[in-house]
Amino acid sequence: MSTVEEFLTSKEELEIVQAIRQAERNTSGEIRVHIEKSSEISHYNRTLEVFRMLKMFNTKQQNAVLIYVAVQDHKFVIYGDKGIDAVVSTNFWQATKNVMQQQFKLGNFKQGIINGVLKAGEELKTHFPWQINDEDELSNEISKG
Ligand code: CA
Ligand code: CA
């Protein structure tokens, strides 16, 4: 079994899922969170692997975002799909990284993820506003390594 439960209670998990739902009310973009203890390969490559594993490339506008966190390594990666890269600048996720880092530094693990999810939603809204026919294309549940 995963040891991620050591880091998040089920109540905290639920709060993160609610943040994802809230963020996706403003954007057609899909946000997912993956949490694991650590990674043996580079965190960036691991993020790509998880992105593929979760079939996150499978959205109409290619606008899914994965927030990957390796808890024990104190590392996180924000990875957006091609559709996002095509319309934003290279430092697009910097503000989202900053809000997460702020909370992580204070040891507020759950809050860092929640703030990151909400910020990512705000940032996505500019380029991918929510539309009336929006579908929840990817699960809002947290994925665990
Ligand atoms: Ca959606
Ligand atoms: Ca979703």
Side-chain angles (χ1 to χ4, degrees), residues 68-119:
Y68 167 90
V69 188
V71 186
Q72 203 174 60
D73 302 342
H74 298 284
K75 293 282 181 199
F76 71 95
V77 176
I78 303 171
Y79 181 80
D81 203 1
K82 289 199 274 292
I84 301 169
D85 284 346
V87 294
V88 304
S89 60
T90 46
N91 57 359
F92 183 67
W93 297 116
Q94 195 54 52
T96 305
K97 282 180 196 159
N98 291 348
V99 298
M100 290 181 71
Q101 228 143 25
Q102 252 168 21
Q103 292 298 325
F104 285 171
K105 263 184 209 152
L106 299 169
N108 301 334
F109 182 60
K110 176 207 75 180
Q111 200 57 46
I113 296 174
I114 287 180
N115 291 4
V117 165
L118 295 177
K119 187 72 182 166

Side-chain angles (χ1 to χ4, degrees), residues 5 13-14 35 41 47-48 50 59 70 76 78 85 101 111 121-123 132-133 143:
E5 281 77 9
E13 260 192 61
L14 197 64
I35 299 171
I41 59 174
T47 302
L48 292 183
V50 173
T59 60
F76 71 95
I78 303 171
D85 284 346
Q101 228 143 25
Q111 200 57 46
E122 275 173 41
E123 300 285 333
I132 194 84
N133 59 349
S143 157

Side-chain angles (χ1 to χ4, degrees), residues 24 27-30 134-137:
E24 290 187 0
T27 175
S28 61
E30 293 289 326
D134 183 76
E135 283 168 36
D136 191 14
E137 295 174 285

Side-chain angles (χ1 to χ4, degrees), residues 123-140:
E123 300 285 333
L124 281 171
K125 183 169 78 172
T126 325
H127 302 279
F128 301 97
W130 186 88
Q131 289 165 335
I132 194 84
N133 59 349
D134 183 76
E135 283 168 36
D136 191 14
E137 295 174 285
L138 299 175
S139 164
N140 303 324

